Structure formats: structure tokens, C-alpha cells
Amino acid sequence: MITNYAARIRALDDDALERFVTDWAKRRTRDYVETQRWSGTGDMGRDVVGYVTRQRHEGEWDNFQCKQLSSRLSEKAAFVELGKIFMHSAAGEYRLPRGYTFVAPKGVVRNVQNFVAHPERFRQAFLDRWNELVAPELVENQVVTLTPGIRDAIERFAFDSVYWLDAAGLAEDEYAIPALVKWFGYDPGAAPPGVTPDLPQDEEAPYIEQLIGLYGERRNTTFADYDSALADPEWGQHLREQRTRYFEAAAFDRYYRDSTPPDYLVAFKDDLYHGVVDTHRDRHSDGLARVLRVLAQASQVSPAGVLGRYAKVPVKQGTCHQFANEGRLPWRK
């Protein structure tokens, strides 16, 4: 995976790299409530931003500076790009970022690696070499002196939050998998099997209650509770099988929610829904007959795409129970 996809990341142009990194950052939902891509004139040193809070730039945020270069990111380029952050922060445009990552598919030169590895040495180098490396490069035809505000920003910034990522590091990051699927057709593989708890869970209550009611209608009786339905010699095993199918679908959802773009799972469920909805609407001798016919029809539906390829029969049938839970296709009308 790393070798093949790292090479393809290195082949992206500047715009595509920023969009790829945006897709990657969007998957870091444990880190960010929102991501934003800044590009072109006036980006103020920001390419892709991850906001930690709804306060966006008034709260904590991380910056991902994308540099698709013909060779490794140079020492001067690293100083200038980070220098933009200090200049604009000192000017009141935004607070200093919590973290700063150079995304350089071809890597960074050894001196940059050494500075990143020695945060306080990096800080001192900024103070010592501002006039030499940074001041003439920030604004065209101007020299940006090391003002007290910029000096303060450099002294306050957490240099231990500076990182770099090359194409291999980006490709092997777990959050990059959905972007690899979207951009390069990476195969996320099959979802792990579901695990059915011994006792019914709150999330199952709607479809289980509907099924138990339909078992009673077929028998012309009323099952007192889940245990009494489970003990029934005719329908108890059927109920066990439906729970297995439901948790197969739940495991499928969790896996592909993390390993593919969000619209993939939505498209899979839409395909399945349209494959069974007419059967659900049809006339049936009773509600349980509807359930059995819809589940049989679900087993025959072949949703498109990579998720359809890996959706086994129990997953498709369990997804129908999810539809019943949501009220989208209720078992008991």
C-alpha cells in the first residue's frame, strides 16, 4: 500500500494535493469539528485548517501546509512558510495554531528534520535568522522586520507541535484510507464479522418489538416479552438469526464509515432500499409474510461499488432491520 499510493500522492499537482489533504483531515473527526481549505492569494500561510472547536480561528486550530515540490522542502522554505504564521498572527489575523504540519510528499531536507526534532533550537533559529532568511521573503518588495509582536509570537509558539509528513507517512496514516479509496480506488477489504451480544441492546428495541408483535399476530397470541418469544419453538430461532444479521450490518457500517468516504455508505443503503421498497409496499398475507419476502428480496439485491462487493446476505438483511428501526421501512404498520 505505502509504496504504490505514496508514488501517486507525489504525482498530484498542488491543487489536488490540497484537496487530498482536506479529505484526509476531514476523517480526523476525533481531532476536529470542522476543516477548511484556504488556497490562493490571501491564504495567510494556511492551506488546510482543522478547527478544534466551533470558535474556529478564535479557538485552537491546526495548520497543514501543503508543498508539492520537485524536490524536498528546503530549510529556507520551511522558515518562510512558518514565518507567515508569525507575521499574520502578530497582525491579529488569527491566534497561533495549536499544531503545524508541513505536508511535503517528497520529504524535507535534513536540516528541517533536525529543527523539527529540536523544538527550542528551532525557536532560537527563528529569532537569530529572521533578518537573513525570512524578512525579505514574506511580502513582495518589502522587508518584514522582527517587530516586538512577531518576536512575541515566536516566543509563545509551541515549536514541539511542528511536524512533517512525506507521501509515505501520509499514505500509511489510518485517516488517509478513505482519501485513498476516493482518489485512487484503494480497496479497503472486507468488514470484520459482527458480534451479537447475549442480551438485546437498546439500539435493537424497535425492530425486535415489531418482530415479536408479528410473531404474535401469526400465532394469534401475545408474547409477553423477548424471552418468551425466544423460547418459542417455531419463531425463537428466527429471532436469533435476525439479531445476528442486525449486528453483521452494524459491524459493516462501523468499518466502512471509517474506511471509505461518507457518501459510499449512503449510496449502498440507498441502493438496497430501492431494491426492496416495492416488495415492502406489496400486498402480503400478514406482516410476517412481508418481513420474510423483503429479507428474501434483500438477499438478491446487488448494490454498486466496493461496499456492494463485500456486502454478504446477512449484512443486507440486517440493514433492512436498520430501516425498520428508523421507520424507513417498518415491519409492523
Side-chain angles (χ1 to χ4, degrees), residues 155-278:
E155 290 175 344
R156 287 187 296 109
F157 181 66
F159 275 87
D160 59 359
S161 68
V162 178
Y163 308 93
W164 63 274
L165 267 178
D166 61 8
L170 189 55
E172 70 183 355
D173 186 273
E174 62 176 311
Y175 296 110
I177 291 177
L180 297 178
V181 172
K182 174 181 176 179
W183 284 78
F184 309 124
Y186 171 72
D187 186 346
V195 177
T196 306
D198 293 335
L199 298 176
Q201 306 297 297
D202 290 344
E203 66 184 271
E204 300 178 85
Y207 87 87
I208 285 181
E209 289 175 4
Q210 292 175 61
L211 287 178
I212 291 174
L214 295 178
Y215 296 151
E217 288 178 7
R218 174 68 68 90
R219 185 68 62 79
N220 197 26
T221 187
T222 299
F223 289 105
D225 52 26
Y226 169 80
D227 289 334
S228 62
L230 199 65
D232 184 77
E234 184 175 5
W235 295 109
Q237 183 59 31
H238 184 267
L239 181 55
R240 291 186 184 90
E241 290 166 352
Q242 305 323 302
R243 293 193 65 228
T244 296
R245 294 167 179 174
Y246 177 85
F247 283 103
E248 287 290 334
F252 183 91
D253 285 2
R254 283 193 301 272
Y255 181 75
Y256 291 111
R257 192 176 293 121
D258 290 339
S259 62
T260 62
D263 56 325
Y264 279 44
L265 191 57
V266 171
F268 166 78
K269 293 194 176 190
D270 282 348
D271 274 1
L272 186 58
Y273 170 83
H274 288 291
V276 302
V277 64
D278 290 336

